[in-house]
């Protein structure tokens, strides 16, 4: 059954208005806009909030991204991070403080990365990090282009794995990024090369494997989805 408006994850009336057109693309938590920062903002065009990106239609139901609120979501995220299949690649198993430290580093960061819940048919069932790949340390390991967007993800509930949801949701999220970030020409991901289900999901959702790259702690498949090919694959 679809969720009701009483759900803590139901979209609010202000969500679509969360992005002020006058400041779209600017998000600097904990900082005041100063003359010194203006050149950096002009160059960076930081991420806006996915709360205003709307809902994608998928074969499994309506899907949207909901920015994480630790006070509401920490217990849920900690449970997911302690799932053995997730912990094998995210390496964040342990008490809630471990998950909180990881998520807070993004929430309190410089706006290059936004942690989100993936809400499918009103129910949170996945965790996503949407980030500026060209402003991330990842950019030192591949030929980055300005405004490349990167994604990390995990499917939180084991009952949602192994039935094609990853493929559908990756396509939906890549489309949300491209629809809402017109200067972004590519969506990038770097799953662990050993994570065969993840790599397969990327390939089946329109990404291509551009290369294998060595990153701190893993050898990764560099996955790329091109805006120019989004309607072809």
């Amino acid at each position: 059954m679809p969720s009701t408006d009483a759900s803590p994850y139901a979209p609010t009336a202000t969500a679509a208005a969360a992005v002020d057109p006058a400041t779209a693309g600017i998000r600097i938590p904990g900082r005041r806009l100063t003359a010194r920062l203006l050149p950096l903002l002009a160059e960076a065009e930081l991420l806006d909030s996915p709360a205003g990106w709307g809902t994608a239609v998928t074969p499994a139901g309506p899907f949207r991204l909901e920015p994480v609120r630790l006070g509401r979501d920490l217990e849920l995220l900690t449970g997911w991070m302690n799932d053995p299949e997730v912990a094998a690649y995210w390496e964040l198993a342990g008490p809630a403080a471990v998950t909180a430290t990881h998520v807070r580093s993004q929430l309190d960061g410089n706006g290059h990365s936004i942690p989100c819940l993936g809400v499918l048919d009103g129910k949170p069932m996945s965790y996503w990090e949407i980030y500026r790949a060209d402003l991330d340390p990842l950019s030192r390991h591949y030929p980055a282009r300005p405004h490349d967007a990167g994604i990390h993800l995990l499917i939180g509930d084991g009952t949602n794995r192994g039935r094609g949801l990853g493929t559908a949701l990756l396509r939906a999220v890549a489309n949300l990024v491209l629809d809402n970030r017109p200067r972004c020409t590519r969506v990038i991901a770097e799953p662990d090369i050993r994570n065969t289900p993840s790599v397969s999901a990327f390939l089946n959702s329109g990404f291509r494997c551009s290369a294998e790259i060595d990153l701190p702690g893993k050898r990764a498949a560099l996955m790329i989805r091109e805006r120019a090919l989004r309607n072809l694959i």
Side-chain angles (χ1 to χ4, degrees):
M1 293 288 292
S3 65
T4 67
D5 290 341
S7 166
Y9 299 100
T12 65
T14 59
V19 181
D20 181 348
T23 57
I26 297 176
R27 180 180 181 273
I28 308 185
R31 294 191 189 178
R32 295 182 62 186
L33 185 60
T34 66
R36 182 178 62 82
L37 289 173
L38 285 173
L40 298 177
L41 289 174
E43 177 182 355
E45 189 195 2
L46 304 182
L47 288 167
D48 57 287
S49 175
W53 288 3
T55 300
V57 177
T58 79
F63 178 84
R64 61 187 178 81
L65 294 171
E66 170 77 19
V68 166
R69 300 206 305 264
L70 275 178
R72 177 192 64 189
D73 305 325
L74 181 57
E75 182 178 358
L76 178 66
L77 292 174
T78 300
W80 290 350
M81 293 300 182
N82 280 279
D83 182 294
E85 291 187 39
V86 173
Y89 297 105
W90 282 75
E91 299 180 346
L92 290 173
V98 175
T99 298
T101 297
H102 174 80
V103 175
R104 193 172 287 118
S105 69
Q106 298 178 77
L107 294 173
D108 297 340
N110 55 14
H112 294 174
S113 179
I114 301 177
C116 297
L117 294 179
V119 181
L120 180 64
D121 203 15
K123 181 179 179 180
M125 46 71 66
S126 53
Y127 173 70
W128 301 75
E129 294 172 353
I130 312 298
Y131 67 98
R132 280 287 301 273
D134 60 320
L135 303 178
D136 188 83
L138 174 64
S139 65
R140 296 194 286 265
H141 299 272
Y142 83 102
R145 296 179 189 169
H147 306 288
D148 278 353
I151 56 177
H152 299 138
L153 80 149
L154 65 86
I155 305 295
D157 186 341
T159 61
N160 288 317
R161 301 182 199 133
R163 56 191 186 94
L165 264 182
T167 294
L169 298 185
L170 280 168
R171 184 176 292 274
V173 170
N175 285 338
L176 284 173
V177 171
L178 294 172
D179 287 343
N180 289 279
R181 299 200 56 77
R183 299 181 72 182
C184 171
T185 63
R186 306 188 301 178
V187 182
I188 308 294
E190 20 78 25
D192 193 306
I193 198 69
R194 300 169 299 166
N195 192 346
T196 303
S198 180
V199 173
S200 296
F202 278 104
L203 291 172
N204 291 331
S205 61
F207 287 75
R208 62 182 175 86
C209 184
S210 175
E212 292 185 17
I213 55 177
D214 290 312
L215 299 177
K218 69 178 181 182
R219 185 164 180 80
L222 179 66
M223 312 299 297
I224 298 177
R225 188 171 184 205
E226 303 273 1
R227 176 186 292 277
L229 300 177
R230 65 180 295 192
N231 294 323
L232 300 177
I233 56 176

